[in-house]
Amino acid sequence: MPSMTTSKVSRWDQHGREHVVHVRKSGVRRQLSCATCDWCRAVQFLPWLKAEEHLAEAHQATVDPTAA
Ligand SMILES: [Zn+2]
């Protein structure tokens, strides 16, 4: 599980390209912004899950570079 201090979620696609969604704290919400496209969203719950969903759906990036 990602820690609460994680400030970004990065995934690689099948071509080895890295896609990053940055997570910024904004009051009780987290502001998500994708570095690859212009997607951004404010979410209150499970920001990392939302980031992973975006990376998978928009960029087919599902490989976690931090996984052993
Ligand atoms: Zn994106």
Side-chain angles (χ1 to χ4, degrees):
M1 288 295 291
S3 80
M4 293 302 288
T5 58
T6 301
S7 60
K8 70 174 186 176
V9 176
S10 63
R11 289 291 183 274
W12 291 343
D13 65 19
Q14 59 267 53
H15 304 293
R17 289 179 296 219
E18 186 182 32
H19 300 275
V20 177
V21 170
H22 295 278
V23 181
R24 283 183 294 123
K25 197 170 188 301
S26 177
V28 295
R29 294 176 180 234
R30 296 296 193 283
Q31 186 74 35
L32 306 180
S33 61
C34 179
T36 299
C37 67
D38 290 333
W39 180 84
C40 60
R41 180 166 299 174
V43 298
Q44 191 165 352
F45 301 107
L46 300 174
W48 297 282
L49 186 63
K50 296 296 183 189
E52 287 175 16
E53 283 179 0
H54 170 76
L55 290 166
E57 291 172 7
H59 306 298
Q60 289 78 51
T62 56
V63 179
D64 183 350
T66 64

